[in-house]
Amino acid sequence: MANVRYNNREELRRLVVSASGEMFFRNGIRQVKMDDIASKLSISKRTLYEIFANKEELLHALFDEVDEQQRRKRMKMSQDKHDVIEIVVGFYRMQTEELMSMSPAFFADLSKYPSLVDMMRQRRKQQDEMYMAFMERGVSEGMFRTDVNYSILHDISSAAGEAVMTSGMYEAYSPEEIFRNILFILLRGICTEAGIRRLDELLAQI
């Protein structure tokens, strides 16, 4: 196979991450071979392995890119939205759009890569400070209850996320259905009466 010429190695790296992400999300991780990615980009397998030594390394780069994209979207959302409930509903819409393009096989395959699962755990821990600041903002806005231990809630939501990943739930329910039920059951439980009214108002618009 003759390599298509790209402007530089960094451009090619970005294209590999983007193309592989589309393939992994649509077909699952195990189904996509490094040969498939090289073929899609019209490059040799050798060139691909010069950029990423193996599929796991490529997956780490993909998760880095996804995390950065979501971070930028969350920052913009925090600036554009008026209250914490609006931010959560906006986040739900964003996540749902992404989940609808992902095959359940992708989530099922993640459990086969312990280093990726560990990376996701570590990143959740790194977001603890941001999480607590958001909850405090919700309390100050009168949307979240004052009598909730938000550290415990954080641990519960993290455990729920891990249970979904390891239980094979994606084989019975769609990713967006699981996400909606976990998010809004937990959210409604911590809302004040004003928060519930605001949540119902926004959900009626979806």
Side-chain angles (χ1 to χ4, degrees):
M1 176 190 297
N3 276 11
V4 172
R5 288 189 175 276
Y6 294 92
N7 292 331
N8 54 59
R9 183 54 60 94
E10 186 56 34
E11 177 194 9
L12 179 54
R13 187 181 190 280
R14 288 195 299 270
L15 288 170
V16 169
V17 172
S18 176
S20 65
E22 292 177 7
M23 298 170 76
F24 290 142
F25 295 151
R26 184 175 61 249
N27 303 305
I29 298 171
R30 297 177 64 185
Q31 188 70 21
V32 178
K33 311 301 182 188
M34 295 294 270
D35 281 338
D36 299 326
I37 299 168
S39 178
K40 181 177 178 66
L41 293 170
S42 298
I43 61 175
S44 69
K45 191 173 177 180
R46 176 179 177 180
T47 298
L48 178 58
Y49 277 114
E50 287 174 354
I51 301 171
F52 295 105
N54 51 53
K55 187 189 288 188
E56 191 160 351
E57 186 177 304
L58 173 52
L59 284 163
H60 276 270
L62 173 61
F63 273 63
D64 285 340
E65 177 61 24
V66 169
D67 278 354
E68 178 57 24
Q69 289 177 3
Q70 290 189 341
R71 185 191 67 80
R72 289 195 297 265
K73 289 177 181 177
R74 285 195 300 266
M75 286 184 62
K76 186 175 188 306
M77 205 175 296
S78 295
Q79 295 167 354
D80 294 345
K81 306 300 182 182
H82 297 98
D83 57 59
V84 291
I85 304 297
E86 194 174 357
I87 292 172
V88 173
V89 173
F91 174 73
Y92 165 74
R93 285 174 168 163
M94 177 187 78
Q95 287 292 103
T96 298
E97 288 176 4
E98 294 177 358
L99 288 170
M100 288 178 68
S101 67
M102 295 182 182
S103 164
F106 173 76
F107 297 98
D109 291 345
L110 278 179
S111 61
K112 309 297 192 302
Y113 293 86
S115 66
L116 287 174
V117 176
D118 287 342
M119 182 182 74
M120 292 167 69
R121 287 195 190 106
Q122 291 303 315
R123 290 187 176 174
R124 280 198 295 268
K125 289 180 181 178
Q126 291 169 6
Q127 294 171 358
D128 284 357
E129 186 174 332
M130 181 176 64
Y131 163 86
M132 291 304 297
F134 183 78
M135 293 304 175
E136 289 170 4
R137 173 179 169 178
V139 170
S140 68
E141 289 179 357
M143 297 293 178
F144 292 164
R145 298 167 61 103
T146 60
D147 58 349
V148 175
N149 186 321
Y150 289 100
S151 294
I152 292 177
L153 179 68
H154 176 271
D155 291 343
I156 290 172
S157 59
S158 295
E162 293 218 10
V164 169
M165 294 293 296
T166 57
S167 67
M169 198 179 295
Y170 288 112
E171 297 175 7
Y173 306 100
S174 67
E176 60 269 24
E177 185 178 5
I178 295 170
F179 178 63
R180 179 186 179 93
N181 278 274
I182 292 177
L183 176 64
F184 288 122
I185 287 173
L186 289 176
L187 178 61
R188 185 173 290 273
I190 66 171
C191 281
T192 60
E193 290 185 6
I196 290 174
R197 287 195 300 270
R198 180 66 171 143
L199 178 61
D200 288 342
E201 172 192 349
L202 293 173
L203 289 181
Q205 301 171 15
I206 296 179

